[in-house]
Amino acid sequence: MNMKGIVLAGGSGTRLHPITLASSKQLLPVYDKPMIYYPLTVLMLAGIRDILIISTPADLPQFRRLLGDGHSLGLHFTYAEQARPEGIAQAFLIADEWLAGQPCALVLGDNLIFGEDLSAVFRAAAVRPEGATVFAYQVRDPERYGVVQFGETGEVVDILEKPVAPPSPWAVTGLYFYDARVTEFARAVKPSPRGELEITDLNRMYLEEGSLHVERLGRGCAWLDAGTPDSLLQAASFVQTIQTRQGMLVGCPEEVAYRMGFIDADMLHSHARRLGKTELGRLLRDVANGVHA
């Protein structure tokens, strides 16, 4: 079965008020691209081409205008409303009919993951026949996240949601791969004390049956959560540094579509022409011409 992908781009972005009073957080710029481009390309790097965008009723028209139907990227986009944000695991209840019993990957709309050879890591997770795969990243402030607790031999013992005393510095990133049973599991998740369907509770169900895989992202990777003014600035600075110093694109759907074989060089040139004289357009022309192999 082909894996489907979900980008959860809802919520009200309260940590970014007043910036997000008039616009979805996931449409804000991270250097030279809308924020949603970065998680979208993560799904594309996993080889996923059938993608559901979940957002608020007010913001969905803007996402449609930005992304269209996905055809020009060799993708297929579908859109669904999240009337009220009631936890990350709610995404699978919203997507239930669309998923039609197929496995899927979920990425949060404000997450940026970058690193060497990540496409191979993501594709391996996408073809795993059963269970769930999450990615852990070492952070300085794990109490803000879901945290992985490891045993003495490195096995996963538990996942704790925003623990007061974190058992490790390994936070669970906003990228999750699940087998075809995910909607069945999501229906069994009970609201937490804060009234949300927690993704940590869903992951713990897979852990308890022994089918949760945790992949650690090492030194060569960057994981950024652009949900606050500081982290938004950090993400923009990171992208600017990589692109201007190395001439390598970060989170560019057109480039990823070309490198993954979803579109050809002529289509990439077409995207570059649409972007005109921008630096992004110039970099895309270089890629299409084989300058950055």
Side-chain angles (χ1 to χ4, degrees), residues 2-293:
N2 290 328
M3 177 164 278
K4 292 185 170 185
I6 300 171
V7 181
L8 183 57
S12 53
T14 53
R15 291 184 299 164
L16 280 163
H17 281 179
I19 307 170
T20 47
L21 289 175
S23 173
S24 165
K25 171 176 66 175
Q26 292 85 5
L27 290 170
L28 296 178
V30 175
Y31 186 48
D32 58 350
K33 302 173 216 70
M35 188 187 295
I36 195 172
Y37 276 21
Y38 299 92
L40 173 60
T41 53
V42 165
L43 295 180
M44 294 169 67
L45 286 169
I48 295 170
R49 303 175 72 167
D50 195 357
I51 297 171
L52 177 69
I53 311 293
I54 297 177
S55 189
T56 67
D59 293 324
L60 269 182
Q62 294 172 285
F63 285 106
R64 287 180 188 273
R65 189 171 70 173
L66 174 68
L67 299 170
D69 62 7
H71 176 75
S72 67
L73 294 170
L75 306 175
H76 182 262
F77 291 133
T78 306
Y79 298 86
E81 292 184 358
Q82 183 185 38
R84 292 179 308 280
E86 296 175 344
I88 297 171
Q90 184 190 24
F92 302 108
L93 304 183
I94 295 170
D96 189 3
E97 187 175 333
W98 175 79
L99 282 171
Q102 290 185 267
C104 76
L106 169 70
V107 64
L108 302 185
D110 62 357
N111 272 227
L112 185 159
I113 303 174
F114 178 81
E116 190 74 22
D117 297 326
L118 280 183
S119 180
V121 175
F122 296 156
R123 279 184 283 182
V127 298
R128 187 165 272 145
E130 62 179 36
T133 303
V134 300
F135 296 86
Y137 187 83
Q138 193 166 324
V139 297
R140 197 176 57 185
D141 51 354
E143 65 278 358
R144 291 180 52 214
Y145 306 98
V147 177
V148 183
Q149 181 178 355
F150 295 99
E152 292 182 4
T153 59
E155 78 280 11
V156 180
V157 175
D158 202 357
I159 297 182
L160 307 169
E161 182 64 24
K162 296 183 175 67
V164 176
S168 84
W170 291 94
V172 178
T173 71
L175 173 64
Y176 319 87
F177 288 78
Y178 298 103
D179 62 19
R181 299 172 297 159
V182 64
T183 53
E184 173 190 335
F185 279 33
R187 281 193 290 270
V189 174
K190 299 290 188 287
S192 66
R194 61 177 183 163
E196 295 197 356
L197 302 178
E198 306 286 357
I199 197 74
T200 295
D201 292 339
L202 176 62
N203 291 333
R204 194 177 285 117
M205 291 178 183
Y206 281 96
L207 174 63
E208 288 171 355
E209 72 162 25
S211 65
L212 178 71
H213 307 270
V214 178
E215 303 279 355
R216 301 194 206 198
L217 298 177
R219 284 178 180 267
C221 297
W223 171 52
L224 300 165
D225 163 12
T228 66
D230 282 346
S231 59
L232 188 61
L233 180 61
Q234 288 168 3
S237 297
F238 174 82
V239 174
Q240 181 199 33
T241 300
I242 297 293
Q243 292 192 175
T244 57
R245 292 283 291 176
Q246 297 188 295
M248 294 171 58
L249 283 160
V250 181
C252 181
E254 297 89 350
E255 185 228 11
V256 174
Y258 173 67
R259 296 202 186 278
M260 294 296 292
F262 301 167
I263 63 174
D264 59 21
D266 287 342
M267 293 182 74
L268 187 59
H269 271 296
S270 176
H271 283 293
R273 284 193 297 272
R274 183 173 54 85
L275 292 169
K277 297 180 180 179
T278 63
E279 179 66 8
L280 188 55
R282 184 189 69 77
L283 288 170
L284 283 181
R285 280 190 291 276
D286 285 349
V287 172
N289 292 328
V291 175
H292 295 297

